[in-house]
Amino acid sequence: MSRRCELTGKAVLSGHLVSHSNRKTKRKFLPNLCNVTLQSEALQRSVRLRVSAHALRSVEHRGGLDAFLAKAKAEELSTTALAVKREIEKKLAAAN
């Protein structure tokens, strides 16, 4: 399982741990990933995703999973999230 957010694409970054004497050693900056279950109003079901805490706040800010996926770029989404986005678009197109 990769350390990548399924909604925003945030991944591991690398950098240096700098000591007081200014010696630099390699380190990793890991994203704050959480296993969450998000509810989709259009599909009337829940979706399990591994997202960063920042993405979880963004989902709440935009008004839920459906609204977030509607604005999200396809390049940033994982295959699972992309499949859910397509399902939601089909469901909304059929309803109109």
Side-chain angles (χ1 to χ4, degrees), residues 16-27:
H16 289 102
L17 187 121
V18 182
S19 70
H20 178 68
S21 63
N22 208 25
R23 292 183 71 167
K24 295 165 186 74
T25 55
K26 285 285 196 180
R27 65 156 293 183

Side-chain angles (χ1 to χ4, degrees), residues 2-46:
S2 65
R3 289 190 171 112
R4 182 176 292 274
C5 175
E6 294 191 59
L7 294 180
T8 59
K10 278 185 182 247
V12 178
L13 294 174
S14 62
H16 289 102
L17 187 121
V18 182
S19 70
H20 178 68
S21 63
N22 208 25
R23 292 183 71 167
K24 295 165 186 74
T25 55
K26 285 285 196 180
R27 65 156 293 183
K28 291 181 183 176
F29 294 96
L30 301 176
N32 184 9
L33 295 178
C34 311
N35 292 316
V36 295
T37 304
L38 298 170
Q39 193 69 30
S40 171
E41 289 87 25
L43 300 177
Q44 297 295 314
R45 68 177 176 94
S46 58

